[in-house]
Amino acid sequence: NYDYWPRWDSTSHQQVWEGHLKQAWTGGLRLLVMSAVSFEPLCDMSLNKKYGCSDMEAVDRQVAATFAFAANNPTWVEVALSAAQARQIVASGKLAIVLAIEASNVFGDTSRTVCDWMDEYYAKGIRSIQPVHQLNNRFAGVGPFHLIFQIFQHLADNVVTDNVNVDFEY
């Protein structure tokens, strides 16, 4: 019985059960973008924390878990590190997983350059980045779609004093 998980309306995490994913693969799914998603303010409010709330630490855990999942299911899953590799994985009949990041505080440590962060996460297998998620950050602003995110943005605007505009070439 799946009354409580997975749920379409969960705001605390994305979710997929291995059995459902394998069923989708059996039915023809061959490419999946796995977005490592995190939202620090929501984590900060959680009462039952197993880990810290840093967005990038959460991303690292999710990426590591995806590689572990692929390693534990080599007959039908593989992480794709290029478009050519994704095509090869799909052609072999396996599920190609492309790794992505979506976090409000992506590359949060401003003492490092954006290029350094991008190089690090490219080396970890990330091939897509959504640099803005739920809150305005140093890269851009968001269009809050729910009142709770408007409240979080209001709180962030009244606490954060070091918004930094980023100008870089890569």
Side-chain angles (χ1 to χ4, degrees), residues 4-15 42:
Y4 302 102
W5 185 91
R7 291 187 52 93
W8 67 271
D9 60 348
S10 172
T11 59
S12 63
H13 59 285
Q14 58 181 126
Q15 48 202 318
L42 190 59

Side-chain angles (χ1 to χ4, degrees), residues 9-95:
D9 60 348
S10 172
T11 59
S12 63
H13 59 285
Q14 58 181 126
Q15 48 202 318
V16 63
W17 177 56
E18 177 181 343
H20 288 163
L21 185 59
K22 190 168 187 178
Q23 184 179 16
W25 166 73
T26 301
L29 179 68
R30 291 296 180 264
L31 183 69
L32 174 76
V33 175
M34 193 298 291
S35 290
V37 179
S38 184
F39 186 57
E40 285 182 31
L42 190 59
C43 176
D44 287 336
M45 292 177 55
S46 298
L47 300 175
N48 189 17
K49 290 182 204 133
K50 186 174 180 181
Y51 304 102
C53 291
S54 161
D55 276 345
M56 296 315 291
E57 289 174 13
V59 164
D60 288 341
R61 286 191 303 274
Q62 292 172 61
V63 168
T66 303
F67 276 108
F69 176 76
N72 289 330
N73 296 280
T75 60
W76 64 280
V77 178
E78 193 172 335
V79 175
L81 300 177
S82 69
Q85 188 178 21
R87 285 190 292 274
Q88 178 272 320
I89 294 166
V90 168
S92 75
K94 292 182 182 181
L95 175 64

